[in-house]
Amino acid sequence: MTEAQATHRTGKRVLLAKPRGYCAGVDRAVQTVEEALKLYGAPIYVRKQIVHNKHVVQTLEAQGAIFVEENEEVPEGATVVFSAHGVAPEVHEQAKARSLKAIDATCPLVTKVHHEARRFAAEDYDILLIGHEGHEEVIGTAGEAPAHIQLVDGPDGADKITVRDPEKVVWLSQTTLSVDETLETVARLKQRLPLLQSPPSDDICYATSNRQHVVKEIAADCDVVIVVGSTNSSNSVRLVEVALDAGARAGHLVDFAHEIDDAWLEGATTVGLTSGASVPDDLVQEVLVHLAARGFADVEEITTANERLTFSLPQELRRDMKAAAARG
């Protein structure tokens, strides 16, 4: 019996979302740590998780990266990499005070939001930052202009906002939010603040939007959607929520294939599969092998966008790599 005949008999299939996995900012951040280890040698210190993924962090630790929470934990004069989520200006100042060699791996799309925060603060706007309290990206952006920024954590947070001048207020957002929930939050804010201005360009990153869009396309056909990603990854958690909102009967977040509970697959004929923007694709391939062993051998890749964006490595690292190459 052919695989196609077997699939026809069992009726079991996987709808594999594309785009999924690494975005350009994550790819750049992980490469930054890998290249720094090659160039400067271990250990390289990394402030916070370079990206929010358990497997990536463990892999880099095995290569000689040491992850710390704050600059104070880095020996004076050592090399430290700042994570893709961005840091407040005071973190750069702390690094200088400890004579640290700082390499900033902040995603350029997060840097764009930082620039917007500084510009609107310089023009004396009240800035409403839509995002999740305590998330590293929110802390970094808010640190650019703490006197001007108020956090709005979801639609209900819109009701608690007070501004100095309702004609001089703008919203910005964390880059990894649910697109739909953010629009709902903005709509709630505009009920109270009709003259609320929008950012010059969308703050939610292309990769977050693209991954949510393809999940919406497949969700209604799925008995269960499995998202590969870590629990502290905002964009991965959002993908489960988006799948359920778009009609999936169930949704689950896993770091690794072995975390999949066979009970989730009981009675299922269609499994949706995707991964967050900080997840290497080999973890998705392991899930496909796991599902195939349980009868889900027919895989149909559903593509809604082709991503070609890449970001160059941080300039301070590129400069040192060029100098090392010149020395031979």
Side-chain angles (χ1 to χ4, degrees):
M1 185 169 56
T2 67
E3 185 179 298
Q5 288 169 329
T7 301
H8 181 71
R9 269 181 52 179
T10 63
K12 292 181 175 181
R13 62 176 180 160
V14 177
L15 296 182
L16 179 61
K18 183 181 177 182
R20 62 181 179 276
Y22 269 13
C23 62
V26 164
D27 197 32
R28 172 183 187 263
V30 174
Q31 273 192 55
T32 295
V33 179
E34 290 172 342
E35 293 297 334
L37 283 163
K38 285 183 207 167
L39 186 62
Y40 309 120
I44 294 294
Y45 292 85
V46 183
R47 184 185 178 276
K48 308 289 186 184
Q49 290 190 359
I50 186 68
V51 296
H52 286 157
N53 183 263
K54 198 182 285 187
H55 174 76
V56 170
V57 169
Q58 290 170 351
T59 302
L60 292 172
E61 280 178 333
Q63 293 173 24
I66 297 175
F67 290 87
V68 299
E69 284 300 303
E70 299 298 343
N71 287 336
E72 290 76 37
E73 300 168 62
V74 182
E76 288 208 14
T79 299
V80 63
V81 177
F82 295 147
S83 83
H85 308 103
V87 297
E90 66 180 10
V91 176
H92 288 279
E93 295 305 317
Q94 291 164 357
K96 277 183 196 162
R98 292 181 61 77
S99 303
L100 302 181
K101 180 181 182 62
I103 299 171
D104 190 354
T106 300
C107 172
L109 299 179
V110 175
T111 300
K112 176 182 81 76
V113 182
H114 283 223
H115 287 324
E116 290 169 353
R118 288 199 297 273
R119 179 165 74 82
F120 284 111
E123 295 171 13
D124 202 30
Y125 274 76
D126 278 346
I127 300 166
L128 306 182
L129 177 61
I130 301 172
H132 296 302
E133 188 167 3
H135 191 279
E136 284 157 44
E137 185 186 327
V138 165
I139 293 168
T141 302
E144 292 287 357
H148 289 263
I149 291 177
Q150 296 178 66
L151 180 65
V152 185
D153 196 342
D156 291 341
D159 302 332
K160 302 166 191 157
I161 294 302
T162 57
V163 298
R164 295 168 299 159
D165 181 353
E167 294 187 7
K168 207 165 185 186
V169 58
V170 64
W171 69 270
L172 303 176
S173 84
Q174 183 180 330
T175 62
T176 54
L177 299 179
S178 156
V179 175
D180 292 339
E181 185 178 299
T182 302
L183 292 175
E184 187 186 337
T185 303
V186 172
R188 284 274 285 273
L189 286 168
K190 284 188 173 175
Q191 286 172 9
R192 298 187 58 217
L193 300 163
L195 298 177
L196 177 69
Q197 293 186 39
S198 300
S201 60
D202 195 353
D203 284 347
I204 294 179
C205 90
Y206 76 96
T208 298
S209 301
N210 286 347
R211 279 149 191 70
Q212 290 176 17
H213 179 65
V214 66
V215 165
K216 285 181 189 175
E217 288 287 309
I218 66 173
D221 293 326
C222 296
D223 299 298
V224 57
V225 171
I226 293 171
V227 177
V228 184
S230 294
T231 54
N232 64 336
S233 164
S234 175
N235 77 87
S236 300
V237 172
R238 299 292 84 73
L239 285 172
V240 177
E241 296 171 355
V242 166
L244 294 171
D245 287 345
R249 261 72 78 201
H252 301 281
L253 183 68
V254 298
D255 267 298
F256 304 103
H258 66 78
E259 295 173 4
I260 296 170
D261 187 336
D262 282 344
W264 300 345
L265 306 176
E266 282 177 18
T269 56
T270 301
V271 174
L273 178 60
T274 189
S275 58
S278 47
V279 178
D281 206 53
D282 56 342
L283 297 183
V284 175
Q285 298 307 316
E286 287 171 12
V287 171
L288 286 172
V289 171
H290 183 94
L291 291 173
R294 285 150 183 81
F296 294 87
D298 180 33
V299 179
E300 183 183 353
E301 191 166 59
I302 307 296
T303 304
T304 56
N306 287 301
E307 296 177 349
R308 296 187 177 87
L309 184 65
T310 58
F311 294 131
S312 57
L313 293 170
Q315 60 181 17
E316 52 273 63
L317 180 60
R318 277 185 285 131
R319 186 180 58 236
D320 286 357
M321 288 170 70
K322 192 174 176 182
R327 290 195 301 270

